[in-house]
Amino acid sequence: MSYYHILVEVNDHISTIEQTRDIEIFDIIEIQPYLHSILLPFFNEQLIEVEDENIAYNDILHLEIKQTLLPIKDLIEEEQRLLPSDTDITITAYEIFNNRDLSQDVTTIIFDLLDAVKLAP
């Protein structure tokens, strides 16, 4: 079984200072609901819907889709256990996503498939 993880970096308009924030959706087993709320709209440069929030395409700075074989929490715990006990390093999801042995970036593959099957108008 594969787990998908969608990472979106967006402009944050909460304050007058230009800031960004990350939206992370981890451990997706069934990607179809996200296909219609995030992936297809992003592919078509439209408004995306994430957790009851609408985000304009122009506010999206970066979108990635990662794939792992285990849930992110399990991978973090396993990697943390492998560290020496006297280490003060904390493993995060981003360390897992940057490790090619533990995760794979499938963003291009998914968008190439969307283009190939012409799900996009």
Side-chain angles (χ1 to χ4, degrees):
M1 177 184 298
S2 289
Y3 295 85
Y4 297 94
H5 316 275
I6 299 175
L7 311 169
V8 185
E9 182 183 8
V10 299
N11 278 327
D12 198 355
H13 298 291
I14 293 174
S15 67
T16 56
I17 301 170
E18 196 67 31
Q19 294 180 327
T20 64
R21 65 184 166 103
D22 294 330
I23 299 170
E24 304 157 331
I25 306 168
F26 295 142
D27 301 333
I28 300 166
I29 296 170
E30 178 56 54
I31 200 157
Q32 186 171 352
Y34 300 96
L35 180 67
H36 296 290
S37 64
I38 298 173
L39 303 179
L40 276 170
F42 177 79
F43 184 80
N44 293 313
E45 299 183 6
Q46 298 169 338
L47 192 76
I48 70 167
E49 185 180 332
V50 182
E51 300 168 353
D52 298 330
E53 179 182 1
N54 292 322
I55 301 168
Y57 176 80
N58 292 339
D59 286 332
I60 301 169
L61 302 173
H62 191 72
L63 184 140
E64 284 184 318
I65 308 158
K66 302 288 188 165
Q67 179 183 31
T68 59
L69 297 177
L70 294 170
I72 198 67
K73 182 179 180 250
D74 294 353
L75 290 169
I76 290 170
E77 287 173 359
E78 181 60 30
E79 287 300 298
Q80 198 71 46
R81 270 195 297 275
L82 295 174
L83 292 174
S85 59
D86 61 345
T87 304
D88 285 340
I89 298 172
T90 301
I91 302 293
T92 68
Y94 287 93
E95 278 81 27
I96 301 297
F97 295 144
N98 287 325
N99 183 330
R100 291 179 189 223
D101 293 333
L102 299 175
S103 84
Q104 160 178 348
D105 188 328
V106 294
T107 311
T108 303
I109 295 166
I110 288 177
F111 286 125
D112 284 351
L113 283 171
L114 290 178
D115 189 42
V117 298
K118 299 298 182 214
L119 285 175

